[in-house]
Amino acid sequence: MKKTLLASLCVLSLPVSASLPGMDNSMSVQERKEAFFEAVYQEALGASKRVVDDKNYLNQDRNLNSLCIKYKVKCNSETTGLELAKKVDLIKPSQILAQAAIESGWGTSRFALEGNNIFGVWCWTEGCGLKPSGAPEESKYWVKRYSSIKESINDYILNLNTHDAYQKFRDIRFKSDDVIEQLNGLEKYSQEEGEYIAKLQAIIKYNNLKQYDERFEIDINN
């Protein structure tokens, strides 16, 4: 196993923040990890139900203008239906949990604590977020600030479903239901590219996060 993968597995033993609902600093490290996953899962479940509503609307073959605007698709073209079908879809909870763990440092990052940003999403309008430490004063990017964890997840899901950088991810997802395979489309999410993907895959396997995907199939319909 490569050093980077060993490092990613080692980080799993780090303490977890008590900032998310259900977290308690009196818990053991393993208990806090599980509490982190559960807290993020519950927020992801609520956010995912919005996508389910959009999928249902799409399947009813109604006026699609609102979906075209939301998902950045050109309406009334021969490919509108296919493009929407690729974009209006769910993100596996195992992927959400793995990316949240990495991007937020298990909920301990400054951006998670001060801005509810658990996916490292950037923004480019002054006042939209927090300036990264060490960033040049003249830099025109910030780490986006959210009003809640759920809002952060909503934006993350919409970003993966609409941004051109993740078209490969959506193409793979459209053909395969395997989250490990889907992750191969995320090389543009991080400057680490392939190493980042390997870390995500390792976290999912190490923590058996696919159990949340199985649970999700039941919970999303309740």
Side-chain angles (χ1 to χ4, degrees), residues 193-206:
E193 298 181 343
E195 290 186 2
Y196 179 74
I197 291 170
K199 287 179 183 179
L200 291 175
Q201 292 169 335
I203 286 179
I204 287 175
K205 293 174 182 177
Y206 186 92

Side-chain angles (χ1 to χ4, degrees), residues 29-194:
V29 169
Q30 182 60 34
E31 288 172 333
R32 280 180 279 168
K33 275 178 53 179
E34 292 173 359
F36 174 85
F37 286 139
E38 183 64 25
V40 175
Y41 174 78
Q42 290 299 331
E43 298 293 347
L45 183 62
S48 296
K49 288 184 177 180
R50 291 188 175 190
V51 182
V52 171
D53 290 341
D54 288 344
K55 284 173 67 71
N56 290 337
Y57 190 92
L58 175 61
N59 292 335
Q60 290 169 7
D61 197 26
R62 298 162 68 180
N63 187 304
L64 299 178
N65 286 337
S66 60
L67 287 184
C68 288
I69 293 171
K70 181 176 180 179
Y71 288 90
K72 301 178 182 177
V73 169
K74 183 179 180 180
C75 253
N76 303 318
S77 75
E78 292 182 359
T79 61
T80 296
L82 177 59
E83 289 184 54
L84 283 172
K86 287 184 176 182
K87 289 187 170 184
V88 186
D89 207 350
L90 296 163
I91 310 296
K92 294 278 189 184
S94 56
Q95 175 182 326
I96 295 174
L97 300 182
Q99 287 200 266
I102 288 180
E103 298 295 340
S104 74
W106 298 88
T108 64
S109 74
R110 170 187 163 221
F111 306 117
L113 296 173
E114 297 180 20
N116 290 310
N117 188 333
I118 59 173
F119 297 104
V121 175
W122 288 12
C123 57
W124 289 267
T125 304
E126 188 167 359
C128 66
L130 303 165
K131 182 68 72 174
S133 299
E137 188 65 30
E138 66 277 10
S139 65
K140 299 297 183 182
Y141 64 89
W142 294 262
V143 177
K144 197 168 183 178
R145 187 194 299 270
Y146 298 98
S147 62
S148 66
I149 295 295
K150 182 176 287 186
E151 185 185 10
S152 175
I153 297 175
N154 282 334
D155 196 37
Y156 155 84
I157 291 174
L158 188 61
N159 187 36
L160 287 185
N161 278 341
T162 59
H163 201 289
D164 290 344
Y166 310 119
Q167 181 175 335
K168 181 180 176 182
F169 163 76
R170 296 190 295 270
D171 287 342
I172 296 173
R173 180 181 62 179
F174 190 67
K175 297 176 181 178
S176 173
D177 193 51
D178 182 6
V179 66
I180 298 300
E181 187 172 350
Q182 291 174 5
L183 291 173
N184 289 321
L186 291 182
E187 69 270 16
K188 292 186 179 180
Y189 199 97
S190 167
Q191 293 180 339
E192 294 182 330
E193 298 181 343

